[in-house]
Amino acid sequence: MRIGLLTEGGYPYVSGDARLWCDRLVRGLGQHEFDIYALSRSERQEDEGWIELPPQVNRVRTAPLWTAEDDGVVHGRRARRRFAEAYGELAAAVCGTGAPGADASRGSADGSPGTTDTAPGSTGASLGTAGAQGARGVSEVPDGLEADRFGNALYALAELARDEGGLVGALRSEAAVRALESACRAPGALRSARAARVPDLLAVAAHFERALRPLSLDWYEDDGLGSVDLCHAAAGGSAALPGLLARHFSGTPLLVTEYGVQLRAHYLASGEAPPAVRALLAAFHGNLAAEVYRRAVLVTPGNTHARRWQERCGADRAKLRTVYPGMEAARFAEVGESAEGAGSADPDTLVWVGRIEPAKDLMSLLHAFAEIRKEEPKTRLRIVGAAAGAEGTAYLGHCKALAAQLFPDEAEGVHAVGDNPVSFEEIGGPEVPSLPEAYAAGAVVVLSSVVEGFPISLVEAMFCGRATVSTDVGAVVEVIGGTGLVVPPRNPRALAEACVALLRDPERRARLGAAARARALELFTVEQNITAFRGIYLEIVSHSPVRRVVVDEAGEPLPFGVPAEAHVPGRWTEPRLMAAGRPRWAAGAPVRATVRIPAGEGA
């Protein structure tokens, strides 16, 4: 079958989200054809180029989400009226205006002091009043009427973009800002929205314009997403928006995979925005997430933590199917299986591996290590990883300063050189040439995060057969499943006690490490991930309505004109197909079915 793989800020670019997972999926399903539709996030990402693509990738179509040139489309009076109506309805749905009983249902979710909303399984990061009142996907799922308003307005804008050639200029126009302002000032609007000032409105309108850029793309015609058998979005949000439009225009079924919930990411990213901006953006992305979940045939979260978010955002439980991300186990096999690899670990060394950023809470880890040193003076801590961006670089500097303060260089005698028990290293250096060797260096692997989605470093440690101590965030408990110790986040004393317990009990470490490796090999390999999606693809296509018609010589529909074998690469049958997605596509004469005569039989 032909799959339209939809990505944002990742595959097929060298850097970005879900890059490795998508590449493994495409390579593992060589019997299918893939068309890649990718939205890039930055000019730098585009300049870095693509990874090497396998032969089953037929084509790649890209579009920048970080910029958009004016399309030069000048709308006439009728088009301007259509835009004003559709955009105004979209803004009204976001602001909650005009819905029956809007005022009565507002209650404490509309600005009451102290209203917070934390998703199930999260680490206590409060969304605040604005997040609670605007989200609707977490604290208040859009009801059917409101969800229909948002979806209808979205598709009206898409149809206008298709008819007129684009909406870039219209979405940036003063008319868009005025429509947004009218919705914010209308009776029944969110209290924070009613307090929006001009700078807030401009910021929100600019964000809407960026998020809605996929509406203006030319991806939805017969030779684009209209020709694929299935759209598979590698994330929610903007990545799934082209899939929504392909479903609307062509009836193409949509599958959505989320290993990190986009709505949650938007909440965390907008924490420092003004209350009005935060409320409106939360409402917009909450409505978009609800629409994606409504229209998708299946939604595949990567763990139960993500699944709980999706359910609170309006996803139907019957559509949810957890599929764990697949990871390469072979690269860790030597460390995990060989006695030499296991024996090379220093029994007095703790290892932390990952991207260095504030969410990893290395400060608490360093304070915990100070407590560990009081109980086990020979213990060392190796922090292996690179800083993530400017914020990560600054955080790394703070961590190094704290380590120098807590652990002054120690020396055994007056003539010896001092040595700090905490080291900061990067993969590829002389001490840690490769990632498996980083995990092999220690007896216990530690994860100290306060925010985490799917803990990849924890799974890698499990592949290596290492005992782990982790904080109870994200999907950690689900991943560990009893094969490691779990403590509350932001609790250095509990973290220290758990580490000391394992450092003092080598037999327990060995048992937990063996159990962890067995669990990882059962649940988190590339093979199980590919097998799951192979079955899901066949299931969706087999239950999807027929969108193409094959006719015989007399112009009558040909029964069984498209056999199941037609979805398998090969010259099994070659009937010519007539698309039936939009009325105007069916305007031409029916296409006759053809019969292929093998060579040599015509004589």
Side-chain angles (χ1 to χ4, degrees):
M1 68 184 73
R2 181 186 247 181
I3 309 298
L5 186 60
L6 314 176
T7 68
E8 178 199 355
Y11 191 76
Y13 294 103
V14 170
S15 62
D17 301 337
R19 174 179 54 85
L20 291 177
W21 168 73
C22 289
D23 187 54
R24 291 164 182 165
L25 177 71
V26 172
R27 292 181 184 277
L29 295 176
Q31 71 272 36
H32 300 313
E33 299 176 354
F34 285 86
D35 292 346
I36 311 299
Y37 293 81
L39 299 170
S40 64
R41 285 184 182 169
S42 66
E43 185 176 10
R44 177 181 178 183
Q45 185 179 54
E46 292 188 355
D47 292 341
E48 289 175 346
W50 301 346
I51 64 174
E52 184 179 354
L53 299 176
Q56 55 263 40
V57 174
N58 284 340
R59 63 176 175 177
V60 178
R61 299 183 70 173
T62 64
L65 203 57
W66 51 275
T67 184
E69 297 182 359
D70 194 336
D71 48 23
V73 175
V74 179
H75 291 168
R77 181 179 301 176
R78 180 175 299 178
R80 291 197 301 270
R81 186 183 303 114
R82 287 177 61 189
F83 174 79
E85 292 175 354
Y87 192 89
E89 186 68 8
L90 184 82
V94 169
C95 295
T97 60
D103 293 326
S105 64
R106 206 58 57 181
S108 62
D110 190 51
S112 298
T115 301
T116 59
D117 198 339
T118 304
S122 67
T123 60
S126 172
L127 301 180
T129 302
Q133 62 181 270
R136 302 184 184 276
V138 172
S139 62
E140 183 184 345
V141 177
D143 58 26
L145 177 60
E146 189 169 347
D148 284 340
R149 295 179 70 204
F150 182 87
N152 292 339
L154 183 69
Y155 301 132
L157 288 172
E159 291 171 359
L160 177 61
R162 192 173 190 179
D163 293 340
E164 300 294 330
L167 287 180
V168 175
L171 291 171
R172 294 176 174 176
S173 67
E174 185 178 350
V177 180
R178 287 179 178 175
L180 181 60
E181 182 179 19
S182 298
C184 291
R185 305 289 185 256
L190 300 171
R191 184 172 301 175
S192 293
R194 293 200 298 269
R197 300 172 299 173
V198 171
D200 299 332
L201 295 172
L202 292 174
V204 172
H207 185 94
F208 285 5
E209 184 271 326
R210 181 181 185 276
L212 297 176
R213 284 174 187 169
L215 299 182
S216 300
L217 299 177
D218 59 349
W219 290 356
Y220 315 110
E221 301 299 333
D222 298 359
D223 61 343
L225 289 174
S227 65
V228 302
D229 296 300
L230 167 68
C231 283
H232 185 179
S238 298
L241 185 52
L244 279 180
L245 302 186
R247 180 193 178 280
H248 175 72
F249 289 125
S250 306
T252 308
L254 172 63
L255 167 66
V256 178
T257 295
E258 285 190 307
Y259 288 130
V261 180
Q262 291 294 312
L263 184 58
R264 175 177 178 268
H266 285 298
Y267 287 157
L268 296 176
S270 62
E272 298 181 359
V277 175
R278 194 161 63 246
L280 291 171
L281 295 187
F284 173 82
H285 288 290
N287 277 278
L288 180 58
E291 181 66 17
V292 168
Y293 298 149
R294 281 182 70 204
R295 303 302 181 184
V297 178
L298 279 179
V299 180
T300 56
N303 52 73
T304 302
H305 178 250
R307 183 180 182 128
R308 287 197 296 265
W309 269 87
Q310 292 167 343
E311 289 180 1
R312 294 292 299 273
C313 294
D316 183 357
R317 287 188 177 184
K319 292 183 177 182
L320 297 178
R321 190 172 305 176
T322 301
V323 179
Y324 294 118
M327 300 176 60
E328 292 285 354
R331 64 186 303 198
F332 304 104
E334 182 178 357
V335 175
E337 293 177 355
S338 66
E340 294 78 13
S344 65
D346 186 341
D348 298 318
T349 297
L350 303 175
V351 175
W352 180 95
V353 180
R355 293 180 305 173
I356 297 178
E357 56 188 355
K360 303 303 181 182
D361 198 19
L362 293 180
M363 295 289 192
S364 290
L365 176 58
L366 292 171
H367 285 292
F369 186 62
E371 299 294 324
I372 294 170
R373 291 276 292 181
K374 294 177 183 178
E375 301 292 333
E376 298 291 332
K378 295 183 179 180
T379 307
R380 301 182 63 83
L381 173 63
R382 300 180 68 172
I383 296 176
V384 182
E391 185 180 26
T393 302
Y395 187 71
L396 175 59
H398 295 320
C399 292
K400 288 182 176 180
L402 178 61
Q405 179 182 352
L406 292 175
F407 313 102
D409 289 347
E410 302 172 353
E412 296 181 357
V414 294
H415 300 292
V417 178
D419 183 25
N420 195 300
V422 179
S423 62
F424 293 85
E425 308 165 52
E426 291 191 25
I427 302 294
E431 300 294 331
V432 189
S434 66
L435 185 60
E437 289 178 291
Y439 292 107
V444 178
V445 175
V446 186
L447 184 142
S448 54
S449 303
V450 294
V451 176
E452 194 75 51
F454 186 86
I456 293 176
S457 62
L458 206 57
V459 177
E460 292 172 342
M462 294 168 70
F463 279 132
C464 292
R466 290 298 182 263
T468 59
V469 176
S470 314
T471 49
D472 186 5
V473 295
V476 165
V477 172
E478 181 181 2
V479 168
I480 287 296
T483 65
L485 303 187
V486 180
V487 300
R490 294 193 178 96
N491 192 331
R493 178 171 296 180
L495 190 63
E497 291 176 354
C499 290
V500 170
L502 290 183
L503 288 170
R504 291 176 174 176
D505 194 342
E507 293 184 359
R508 187 184 185 189
R509 290 201 310 265
R511 289 197 305 270
L512 290 175
R517 175 167 170 77
R519 179 176 176 82
L521 290 174
E522 178 184 359
L523 297 178
F524 308 124
T525 61
V526 174
E527 291 76 17
Q528 67 83 23
N529 182 270
I530 292 174
T531 299
F533 280 112
R534 180 183 292 113
I536 288 172
Y537 283 180
L538 293 174
E539 177 185 346
I540 291 177
V541 171
S542 66
H543 288 84
S544 297
V546 176
R547 295 183 293 109
R548 299 174 183 178
V549 179
V550 180
V551 296
D552 59 17
E553 294 296 334
E556 296 297 327
L558 185 65
F560 309 107
V562 184
E565 296 91 329
H567 293 291
V568 181
R571 297 183 178 274
W572 307 97
T573 180
E574 295 187 355
R576 298 182 63 186
L577 304 177
M578 180 181 70
R582 296 188 71 191
R584 67 178 184 180
W585 298 353
V591 179
R592 307 298 177 185
T594 59
V595 180
R596 182 178 180 84
I597 302 175
E601 293 187 8

